[in-house]
Amino acid sequence: MIVVSNKKASQFSGDMLVYFVRQSEKKRAPVCSDKLVQERIDHAFELGDCLGKKEECLLIYPERVFDGVRAKRLLIVGLGKDELNRELFRRAGGAIARKALALKAEKLFLVVPEELSFPVAEMTECLSEGLILGSYRFRKYKKEEEEEKSVEIKRIGLYVSDASMVHARKGVKRGIAAGNAGGVVRDMANEPGNVWTPQAFADFAGKIAGEGGLVCRIMEKEEMQQLKMGGLLGVSQGSALPPKLVVLEYRTGKNVPTLLLVGKGLTFDSGGISLKAGEGMGDMKYDMCGGAAVMAAMQVIAEEKPGRVDVVALVPATENLPSSSALKPGDIITQYGGKTVEVLNTDAEGRLILADALAYGVEQYKPAAVVDVATLTGAVIVGLGHHRTGLLANNDELAENVLAAGERAGEPLWRLPLAEEYKEQLKSQVADLKNIGGKAGGTITAATFLQEFVGTAPWAHLDIAGTAWNYTEKSYIPNSKGPSGIAARTLIELVRNWR
Ligand code: BES
Ligand code: ZN
Ligand code: ZN
């Protein structure tokens, strides 16, 4: 629980009192807003232990009689000397959360550094986000660690002056919503493939629709057959579990444009008949992270109720498994809308399920913009590594907006090109398209395939294969090997800043 408070720090008697300091220019100790704490900082600085560098943490155990401080611990967190930005506060929040968990500190009190020239609303927003994301753990299946499980941060007070209360409350509210959304994505992704099934996506959608007043519809296999969604049906035909197309609608009730969000909900990708190598295959339970990001964003949208845009989310959900009924290399399928595709590699399945959802969504909802999120290609890891999400778009304005949203969310993207030349690689001898474009430019040819199904709608595609897990190590990504929860916050930010 994070609350804004105007109680003085000296009255706090909990587990950890936190002050923030900037790294001073020249050979001076960092400056703290509290005089008595300053003495401690000066001392530590003389010993070379406290410079105020980014994410640097100095832990002090005040003597019981230490004037003015009744807290059990004091933590001085550095903010460095570079220009302040949102990510800095997010990382500071993450660093505090980790320290608190390591020390089993349950009650924290943070003195928000209002004296710095940075908006209090954004400071408190990003601190809250970092605190929540940084204290995330997934211990559900660790049955033998009962004791560890019970350790959690119970209460965090953020001190601000009376004049900043309103801004801080607003910031904290946003930060909590975005931070929790990241946690929701991580929770879904951490669930194993035998638990997080297409049905689980459907159940989750029903739940958030009920809570937030969204319209939810689960399209079943029979309707997909009537609509001739050959991509989603084809990929799912090797699995014993039926596919689901999850539809969630947020409506303002006003005459506003519609944003269509589409997320790849591949609950386990074995590659199908074009079977993947065994090593690391377990990670392919994360192939639903795009769908999870879209769902988590919808949950926040339902709560925040933006006024300028309607939002529709589609998550095609299925497994990709080999069996005697599975798609085979060489099979030809017909996507929603009638285009035929020669499936030369059953492991390039994401584009097949997305193509149906995109074509259906564009036709059905006439969106002003479309954004899809998918763990689509290994090639994006070759191109961008694990630090940036690949962005491909047929519209510069939308691309700029998505880039800006990612920047604000601390989820950087990098745009790759789309152009006529790449279409050549998708030409099939026997069908309208083939589903693979060869080694060269794999992320681009995958997006070029998707582009065939969005018509003229402004569209942006986020390839999160490199960032959904094994993401950049950060204080607020507690397990960088595990799911990062990426993209939900970018989508939320995109909607918050809509036009
Ligand atoms: N889900 C994978 C993409 C992926 C790979 C995500 C590695 C995260 C890490 C996707 O379905 C896939 O297998 N793509 C193939 C496409 C290829 C056959 C054209 C790939 O990238 O190898
Ligand atoms: Zn695949
Ligand atoms: Zn996949």
Side-chain angles (χ1 to χ4, degrees):
M1 185 176 54
I2 305 180
V3 293
V4 176
S5 161
N6 58 358
K7 208 174 92 173
K8 288 275 176 291
S10 54
Q11 291 171 270
F12 172 74
S13 59
D15 300 307
M16 200 153 92
L17 172 60
V18 183
Y19 282 97
F20 298 88
V21 293
R22 289 281 268 163
Q23 187 173 355
S24 296
E25 295 295 340
K26 296 179 205 128
K27 288 175 184 158
R28 293 236 185 84
V31 180
C32 179
S33 57
D34 184 294
K35 275 204 187 110
L36 289 159
V37 176
Q38 185 69 51
E39 285 175 23
R40 298 299 184 113
I41 292 177
D42 289 344
H43 186 189
F45 176 78
E46 280 164 30
L47 296 170
D49 294 356
C50 180
L51 302 170
K53 288 190 174 168
K54 264 185 226 173
E55 288 179 60
E56 177 194 270
C57 288
L58 172 69
L59 186 65
I60 301 172
Y61 291 92
E63 291 158 32
R64 280 184 221 287
V65 288
F66 185 54
D67 302 59
V69 177
R70 289 159 67 201
K72 291 186 189 134
R73 303 174 186 85
L74 256 177
L75 185 72
I76 313 299
V77 179
L79 293 172
K81 59 182 173 192
D82 300 339
E83 204 182 320
L84 296 170
N85 60 49
R86 293 167 59 86
E87 179 71 359
L88 196 66
F89 288 101
R90 219 176 267 122
R91 292 204 192 206
I96 295 163
R98 302 185 90 164
K99 206 77 189 168
L101 287 177
L103 297 167
K104 300 189 172 42
E106 296 181 340
K107 288 187 185 145
L108 318 186
F109 194 78
L110 280 56
V111 180
V112 176
E114 280 180 80
E115 67 280 7
L116 304 179
S117 52
F118 197 78
V120 171
E122 291 194 84
M123 264 194 227
T124 50
E125 174 190 345
C126 296
L127 279 172
S128 307
E129 219 172 284
L131 283 160
I132 290 177
L133 291 168
S135 51
Y136 177 88
R137 282 175 304 177
F138 188 74
R139 292 279 157 80
K140 190 172 161 188
Y141 297 101
K142 289 249 177 214
K143 295 295 181 199
E144 286 169 8
E145 279 181 23
E146 288 302 328
E147 197 202 338
E148 264 232 22
K149 252 194 212 172
S150 63
V151 178
E152 57 174 280
I153 305 173
K154 297 219 167 78
R155 190 185 160 88
I156 304 170
L158 296 187
Y159 171 80
V160 297
S161 63
D162 287 333
S164 297
M165 277 296 218
V166 177
H167 299 294
R169 287 225 173 85
K170 201 174 149 204
V172 167
K173 203 169 172 200
R174 282 171 168 243
I176 291 176
N180 284 341
V184 165
V185 176
R186 289 176 187 170
D187 275 346
M188 294 186 210
N190 273 317
E191 288 291 354
N194 59 337
V195 174
W196 201 265
T197 55
Q199 183 62 50
F201 263 121
D203 294 344
F204 182 81
K207 188 188 115 190
I208 62 172
E211 289 164 359
L214 301 170
V215 178
C216 173
R217 188 162 69 89
I218 308 301
M219 192 192 289
E220 304 289 346
K221 189 175 165 186
E222 294 66 35
E223 193 177 346
M224 294 172 204
Q225 283 164 336
Q226 282 159 17
L227 293 172
K228 300 197 164 57
M229 293 190 164
L232 185 48
L233 287 166
V235 172
S236 73
Q237 75 193 35
S239 163
L241 304 178
K244 307 278 169 186
L245 178 62
V246 179
V247 187
L248 277 174
E249 296 179 25
Y250 164 73
R251 296 286 178 203
T252 57
K254 291 183 266 183
N255 187 18
V256 294
T258 297
L259 168 65
L260 175 67
L261 303 177
V262 179
K264 174 176 173 181
L266 216 295
T267 60
F268 186 75
D269 183 11
S270 71
I273 296 293
S274 312
L275 196 64
K276 286 181 182 293
E279 200 187 318
M281 203 203 274
D283 281 352
M284 282 300 142
K285 70 171 184 172
Y286 301 140
D287 209 18
M288 36 55 74
C289 282
V294 165
M295 289 280 122
M298 285 308 277
Q299 192 176 19
V300 174
I301 291 164
E303 188 187 311
E304 296 188 347
K305 307 207 184 325
R308 293 190 194 145
V309 64
D310 285 348
V311 188
V312 176
L314 295 179
V315 175
T318 178
E319 299 181 309
N320 184 22
L321 292 175
S323 79
S324 63
S325 59
L327 271 182
K328 305 171 293 297
D331 283 1
I332 297 176
I333 59 170
T334 304
Q335 301 272 177
Y336 179 83
K339 283 195 172 134
T340 58
V341 175
E342 184 186 12
V343 179
L344 287 173
N345 189 322
T346 64
D347 197 10
E349 84 299 336
R351 61 198 77 184
L352 305 178
I353 69 170
L354 289 169
D356 281 347
L358 288 166
Y360 175 76
V362 167
E363 186 188 281
Q364 196 74 11
Y365 300 100
K366 315 261 179 300
V370 184
V371 178
D372 80 73
V373 186
T375 46
L376 204 63
T377 65
V380 80
I381 307 173
V382 178
L384 299 177
H386 293 290
H387 306 302
R388 276 173 190 261
T389 292
L391 169 67
L392 298 101
N394 64 1
N395 179 287
D396 292 344
E397 193 189 344
L398 179 61
E400 288 303 323
N401 290 340
V402 173
L403 284 170
E407 186 60 38
R408 286 182 61 79
E411 300 183 330
L413 303 105
W414 196 262
R415 192 172 175 188
L416 298 170
L418 278 174
E420 280 296 316
E421 302 89 282
Y422 297 96
K423 286 191 185 160
E424 200 61 36
Q425 283 167 251
L426 294 173
K427 284 206 172 135
S428 160
Q429 301 274 334
V430 291
D432 296 333
L433 291 164
K434 58 181 182 182
N435 78 329
I436 47 171
K439 266 222 168 108
T443 302
I444 303 173
T445 52
T448 303
F449 182 92
L450 298 180
Q451 191 178 9
E452 291 291 318
F453 298 89
V454 296
T456 55
W459 157 78
H461 159 64
L462 277 59
D463 193 334
I464 58 167
T467 50
W469 68 101
N470 284 329
Y471 185 47
T472 320
E473 184 95 36
K474 299 185 189 192
S475 63
Y476 64 86
I477 314 272
N479 165 15
S480 63
K481 288 220 183 319
S484 61
I486 201 115
R489 293 185 298 113
T490 297
L491 295 176
I492 292 165
E493 208 52 52
L494 182 71
V495 171
R496 282 177 180 167
N497 296 293
W498 193 261
R499 248 152 272 235

